[in-house]
Amino acid sequence: MKEKPMRTLFLETADGRIAYETSGPVDGPLAVLVHGMGDTRATYRFLARRLAGAGFRVAAMDVRGYGESSTGWPDHDVASVGADLLALVRHLGGPALLVGHSIGCASAVWVAAEAPAEVTELVLIGSFSGEGRIKAWMKALSRAVGRSAFLWAMFVRSSYPTAKPDDFGSYLKELKANLREPGRAAALRAQIELSLSGVVTRYSEVTCPTVVVMGTKDQDFPDATAEAHLIASKLGGPVEVVLVEGAGHYPHAEMPGDTADRVLRALTLHPAPSL
């Protein structure tokens, strides 16, 4: 089976340019990966490889304002990022399995609700129910972290409570360098403000199968396991919950082997027709 090498491509939209990287067999079912705030497509470096090895045609995108995507976007709202994601799915010839992380999950859910024919299945990693209340001191701290690439990197480091991949140092160095590029911190600050104001997620409108993935030590939630099951209860389609023991907010990078294995097994429990 002919393989596509991993390479960076660009999708031009009305408001800017979205960067993405492809891998996997050219004739495999499409999987499109969207990262969370303050990150780049590199967060999926392990999971993308495993999905490609399992036969998926993988596209990992840089969300508007991050990575190699352009800066200066009019907004960074869930629906706008979702529209970029949907445009990429259509550009690549969907439908697609969508994988989201953190706030990126909300955009993946938006696509599944807005254009259900374009989504075969969802994988939501470190998503949120939208029912937690944020304390005032946490809002102030979040805003301070969003103003400094160094502080953001410290926050990311703290989100790996049990293990760190061998390349974590170089990954974090590249992440800080990216956020220090002109215009990139604006995307992080905008998404922090969005998360603090309360993100509306369209879980109940989702009809496709969904895998909810949560690290049991995710510090974003008082009880990460309960949060995962609460999210599952809100989804309109069949759901499989995957709890990664000991992992924090980035289980796909902190414990990549275990997370990928369990996601792939969960996908086979209720595969969409095109898979």
Side-chain angles (χ1 to χ4, degrees):
M1 184 181 292
K2 185 178 179 183
E3 295 280 335
K4 273 187 176 181
M6 295 185 75
R7 57 199 179 103
T8 302
L9 300 169
F10 297 94
L11 174 66
E12 298 291 341
T13 75
D15 292 321
R17 185 173 70 170
I18 295 295
Y20 64 99
E21 186 175 77
T22 61
S23 59
V26 297
D27 56 350
L30 180 64
V32 182
L33 285 50
V34 54
H35 64 79
M37 71 172 70
D39 217 329
T40 69
R41 66 185 191 260
T43 192
Y44 287 120
R45 60 201 183 279
F46 305 115
L47 184 57
R49 188 179 308 131
R50 289 295 302 276
L51 288 172
F56 285 91
R57 177 167 58 108
V58 180
M61 65 182 281
D62 282 328
V63 169
R64 51 172 59 193
Y66 296 111
E68 294 181 76
S69 290
S70 60
T71 59
W73 296 79
D75 66 74
H76 298 270
D77 292 346
V78 165
S80 297
V81 174
D84 297 338
L85 176 57
L86 178 56
L88 183 57
V89 169
R90 288 172 169 164
H91 174 71
L92 294 173
L97 160 70
L98 301 185
V99 180
H101 175 242
S102 197
I103 200 171
C105 294
S107 294
V109 167
W110 182 92
V111 175
E114 191 75 13
E118 298 289 0
V119 182
T120 57
E121 195 158 5
L122 291 174
V123 175
L124 306 178
I125 305 172
S127 192
F128 46 88
S129 67
E131 294 192 8
R133 299 184 65 180
I134 303 174
K135 296 178 181 179
W137 69 268
M138 291 184 67
K139 289 184 178 182
L141 180 60
S142 297
R143 291 184 174 114
V145 167
R147 290 192 293 269
S148 166
F150 175 76
L151 291 178
W152 179 256
M154 287 181 63
F155 169 77
V156 172
R157 181 180 292 276
S158 72
S159 298
Y160 288 68
T162 301
K164 294 177 177 61
D166 292 340
D167 68 348
F168 187 73
S170 59
Y171 161 75
L172 213 55
K173 182 178 179 180
E174 291 172 5
L175 193 62
K176 287 188 290 186
N178 186 250
L179 287 173
R180 285 169 176 155
E181 291 177 3
R184 303 231 176 266
L188 173 59
R189 290 194 296 270
Q191 287 195 312
I192 287 175
E193 288 302 322
L194 177 63
S195 67
L196 294 178
S197 64
V199 176
V200 177
T201 37
R202 298 169 65 178
Y203 289 127
S204 64
E205 299 175 63
V206 172
T207 57
C208 67
T210 302
V211 181
V212 175
V213 183
M214 187 73 75
T216 61
K217 290 187 177 181
D218 191 328
Q219 65 183 9
D220 281 16
F221 313 106
D223 186 334
T225 298
E227 186 76 6
H229 287 289
L230 181 56
I231 292 165
S233 72
K234 291 174 174 287
L235 287 156
V239 186
E240 182 76 15
V241 175
V242 171
L243 299 173
V244 184
E245 189 65 37
H249 194 56
Y250 298 80
H252 54 293
E254 183 176 6
M255 299 181 180
D258 183 39
T259 302
D261 286 345
R262 297 183 63 191
V263 166
L264 287 168
R265 285 199 298 270
L267 290 174
T268 66
L269 292 178
H270 41 63
S274 63
L275 300 183

